[in-house]
Amino acid sequence: MSEAVAELETPWQAMFQRLLAEPGPRAEAAEPETRLDARVYHDPQRYHAERSHLFRRLPLCLGHADQLREPGSILAREIVGLPLLLVRDAQGEIGVFLNACRHRGARLVAEDSSTCQKSSLVCPYHGWTYALDGTLVAVPLREAFPTLDRAERGLMRLPSTVRHGLIWAVLDPQLPEPDIARYLGPIDAELAAIGLGQHRFFRQNAVRRATNWKLIVDAFMEVYHVKRLHSGTIGPFFSDSIAIADHFGPHQRMLVARDQLGQLRDQPPAQWHPQLHGTMVHLIFPNTILIYHPDYVSHLGMFPTAPNETLFVHTMLTPDAPADERAKAHWDRSFDLIDRQVFHDEDLTVCEQIQRGLVSGFGQDFLLGRFESNVRRFHETVAKALGQHGAPPQTPPG
Ligand code: FES
Ligand SMILES: [Fe+2]
């Protein structure tokens, strides 16, 4: 195969060529500075608009199907105020249900940080029993409900699908099953090229942190902070603020340069890879971030629970299951470094500090520089998606 043909075959080469053309930390130098009205992070009206117009309408990525490996695997988790059950049924299909009994609403499975195994779902209150596909199969003292039609009292199912191994759901039972290939646009082919569907679930940490969900997204959409905030951890591995970015509809893609960017020129372009020779990041609107590390992928989900609180779910996906204890120990160490030291102790700690400073009521605005244009674009996309519901104004004049 000629090199010219090979060049056409990897989706990453044009991105790397653009990255190599950057002479210094001036990515997107044509971008203007902008101001951001900080009320978007704490205004209650804005928060309610985001919940109803983004999180209850758009497809959300709730996890990886490999976390529910066996039939009967169940994960109970509250997402944006809704108690949900993610279930792999006896036929191997994954469904997303409201974790609420159709008798009088009790939770069928207590929320836990990890999956459990069950052959059916038995309500703890009066014992109504559901099959794993949500069908109501048994009611104690059935004669108490002479008009009950079991077919009408199955668990409330939410529209969901699995694509690239990821579980996507829309948190409104009236809406149709999401068409994820269409929603992702060109990013669909990139997730396929990376092989996310073949990845394995390795570890997850789901923690509520006292910050608005958008402050966390912001922190993963710019590299201006990486050499400073992360100077004692991952900072030395990266170049200072050299990255290229693209946007596809509401979604974004960023390729961040490592410190050894120049060595790329010694490699055949067909071998340039966004995990080995740079770090690629996808933002799938509104709240999914995928970070491609050299030998694993971080999937981040930011699920707001209040204007100033977010359930932050970090999942580590590995290309294979660990072959032995040594491989497992290696990935455990990687997870501990990136999840605890980098994400929680550095990024999220700063986000919480910012959030605490926002309640002063001083009418702050933030200044976004030329290397923070992805942050600006993200906030513009949120405001656009909210339309007239997006009060307060996102960018005041001046
Ligand atoms: S609420 Fe579930 S059986 Fe009564
Ligand atoms: Fe960071």
Side-chain angles (χ1 to χ4, degrees):
M1 187 188 300
S2 77
E3 199 167 292
V5 171
E7 273 187 22
L8 292 174
E9 287 187 351
T10 82
W12 328 116
Q13 288 169 25
M15 291 183 79
F16 276 109
Q17 260 142 7
R18 284 163 59 205
L19 199 58
L20 283 169
E22 290 292 337
R26 51 162 222 101
E28 304 136 315
E31 299 279 351
E33 275 177 303
T34 46
R35 287 163 191 267
L36 178 67
D37 184 335
R39 285 178 297 171
V40 297
Y41 298 113
H42 63 94
D43 179 77
Q45 241 181 301
R46 169 52 109 88
Y47 171 70
H48 288 297
E50 289 172 353
R51 260 172 78 126
S52 34
H53 296 278
L54 302 182
F55 288 92
R56 293 284 174 85
R57 292 212 183 141
L58 298 175
L60 303 180
C61 180
L62 301 184
H64 195 282
D66 190 49
Q67 191 175 4
L68 303 168
R69 202 164 295 159
E70 307 297 333
S73 300
I74 296 168
L75 182 65
R77 179 159 285 160
E78 192 168 309
I79 296 288
V80 202
L82 288 182
L84 298 184
L85 284 178
L86 281 62
V87 181
R88 191 184 283 275
D89 70 20
Q91 279 66 49
E93 294 296 313
I94 289 183
V96 177
F97 302 95
L98 207 57
N99 185 7
C101 179
R102 293 297 306 282
H103 173 218
R104 279 169 47 205
R107 285 200 183 185
L108 296 155
V109 180
E111 188 167 7
D112 194 3
S113 57
S114 58
T115 56
C116 58
Q117 280 296 128
K118 290 181 190 294
S119 54
S120 61
L121 296 158
V122 183
C123 180
Y125 203 179
H126 311 96
W128 284 29
T129 302
Y130 302 84
L132 297 173
D133 65 359
T135 314
L136 176 60
V137 290
V139 173
L141 304 177
R142 175 76 174 77
E143 63 274 22
F145 302 94
T147 66
L148 171 66
D149 177 357
R150 281 197 286 122
E152 284 181 356
R153 288 267 152 189
L155 291 182
M156 184 81 76
R157 184 188 277 271
L158 293 163
S160 71
T161 189
V162 174
R163 188 165 179 84
H164 305 299
L166 302 170
I167 304 166
W168 305 84
V170 180
L171 306 188
D172 181 343
Q174 308 300 327
L175 292 175
E177 184 179 295
D179 178 347
I180 298 303
R182 189 153 168 253
Y183 186 64
L184 294 177
I187 288 179
D188 189 66
E190 298 187 3
L191 299 192
I194 283 170
L196 271 188
Q198 290 76 53
H199 274 57
R200 304 297 300 267
F201 173 86
F202 182 72
R203 245 174 99 175
Q204 183 173 81
N205 191 15
V207 182
R208 288 184 183 211
R209 296 290 305 247
T211 172
N212 184 271
W213 68 280
K214 298 186 298 302
L215 281 171
I216 308 179
V217 175
D218 297 347
F220 289 97
M221 291 316 294
E222 52 91 353
V223 283
Y224 178 37
H225 75 281
V226 170
K227 283 203 93 67
R228 286 157 275 275
L229 178 62
H230 302 307
S231 60
T233 52
I234 55 167
F237 301 114
F238 289 90
S239 300
D240 191 2
S241 299
I242 302 181
I244 54 149
D246 297 295
H247 55 106
F248 306 99
H251 315 302
Q252 298 197 50
R253 170 178 81 174
M254 176 168 71
L255 181 62
V256 181
R258 296 268 174 77
D259 59 332
Q260 303 293 348
L261 181 64
Q263 288 184 1
L264 257 190
R265 295 182 208 278
D266 305 331
Q267 306 261 347
Q271 286 176 20
W272 292 344
H273 193 276
Q275 288 181 266
L276 301 176
H277 306 108
T279 296
M280 189 142 90
V281 178
H282 280 133
L283 165 64
I284 299 168
F285 193 76
N287 70 330
T288 297
I289 288 181
L290 295 161
I291 304 171
Y292 305 96
H293 308 283
D295 65 345
Y296 66 95
V297 177
S298 281
H299 166 219
L300 313 182
M302 279 59 73
F303 300 100
T305 50
N308 59 356
E309 190 186 75
T310 303
L311 175 68
F312 175 75
V313 185
H314 173 209
T315 309
M316 183 178 191
L317 303 171
T318 53
D320 297 296
D324 51 31
E325 279 306 310
R326 225 173 120 232
K328 183 176 177 309
H330 162 76
W331 273 322
D332 274 326
R333 273 195 308 276
S334 297
F335 188 82
D336 289 337
L337 168 73
I338 202 83
D339 186 73
R340 187 172 54 78
Q341 291 186 46
V342 179
F343 294 171
H344 279 279
D345 293 353
E346 294 175 345
D347 292 306
L348 289 157
T349 296
V350 167
C351 293
E352 288 191 339
Q353 290 165 353
I354 297 169
Q355 189 76 35
R356 284 201 295 277
L358 287 171
V359 295
S360 64
F362 295 159
Q364 287 153 290
D365 65 3
F366 291 165
L367 190 61
L368 300 174
R370 291 173 159 180
F371 308 142
E372 295 157 284
S373 55
N374 299 337
V375 176
R376 172 184 57 76
R377 192 170 292 117
F378 166 61
H379 285 271
E380 285 173 357
T381 307
V382 172
K384 193 170 156 207
L386 295 177
Q388 82 272 26
H389 308 286
Q394 183 229 351
T395 43

